[in-house]
């Protein structure tokens, strides 16, 4: 047996699930933009996009092959998420306020940056089992 690791050292299942999740996020976001006649450049309207992303990401935190799991954030600070913060769902989606958006981006009708922070569940690939017998 060989470990499921790519040549760059990343586990194959992580690459697969991250690619799949990115696709689901893209589809959900595009469907939201298509289904709404207009998504206004307001914080409230931008929550439609955040909700679409949340829906896409949430499916990876459920079921038998849960890719995302609750845990403690150990990465760098990203907006309101700090090292040591609990992530009860295994993910946090944050969007920069419209008030902080540049005029150039507003005129280009861009959404402000959206951050999808994930806590991966990991996978067990080996185990040490001790059997202790006493008479």
């Amino acid at each position: 047996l060989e470990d499921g690791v790519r040549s760059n050292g990343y586990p194959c299942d992580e690459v697969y699930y991250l690619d799949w999740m990115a696709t689901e996020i893209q589809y959900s976001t595009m469907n939201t933009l298509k289904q709404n006649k207009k998504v206004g450049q307001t914080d409230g309207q931008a929550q439609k996009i955040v909700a679409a992303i949340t829906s896409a990401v949430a499916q990876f935190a459920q079921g038998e092959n849960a890719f995302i799991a609750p845990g403690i954030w150990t990465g760098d600070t990203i907006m309101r998420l700090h090292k040591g913060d609990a992530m009860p769902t295994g993910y946090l989606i944050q969007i920069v306020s419209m008030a902080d958006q540049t005029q150039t981006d507003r005129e280009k009708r861009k959404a402000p940056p959206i951050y999808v922070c994930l806590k991966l569940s990991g996978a067990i690939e080996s185990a040490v089992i001790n059997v202790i017998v006493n008479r």
Side-chain angles (χ1 to χ4, degrees), residues 19-134:
D19 285 349
W20 182 11
M21 186 182 310
T23 300
E24 291 296 322
I25 289 170
Q26 291 171 4
Y27 282 138
S28 293
T29 301
M30 292 309 299
N31 283 338
T32 297
L33 293 174
K34 181 182 170 193
Q35 292 168 357
N36 290 276
K37 291 181 181 181
K38 179 180 178 182
V39 176
Q41 284 181 303
T42 66
D43 289 331
Q45 289 284 300
Q47 288 304 311
K48 291 179 181 180
I49 295 171
V50 172
I53 295 169
T54 301
S55 175
V57 170
Q59 67 183 322
F60 291 89
Q62 303 163 357
E64 184 177 316
N65 297 320
F67 178 60
I68 301 168
I72 303 298
W73 182 253
T74 57
D76 294 334
T77 296
I78 300 174
M79 294 181 67
R80 298 180 314 274
L81 182 61
H82 302 279
K83 187 174 187 171
D85 285 353
M87 297 182 71
T89 59
Y91 61 91
L92 178 65
I93 300 165
Q94 304 175 89
I95 185 168
V96 173
S97 173
M98 290 290 180
D100 296 330
Q101 188 180 34
T102 66
Q103 186 62 35
T104 303
D105 283 350
R106 277 188 82 74
E107 290 171 2
K108 290 181 180 178
R109 296 182 160 211
K110 288 183 178 180
I114 300 168
Y115 298 94
V116 180
C117 304
L118 306 173
K119 187 69 181 173
L120 302 185
S121 63
I124 297 172
E125 294 182 351
S126 66
V128 174
I129 301 168
N130 296 305
V131 178
I132 301 156
V133 178
N134 187 5

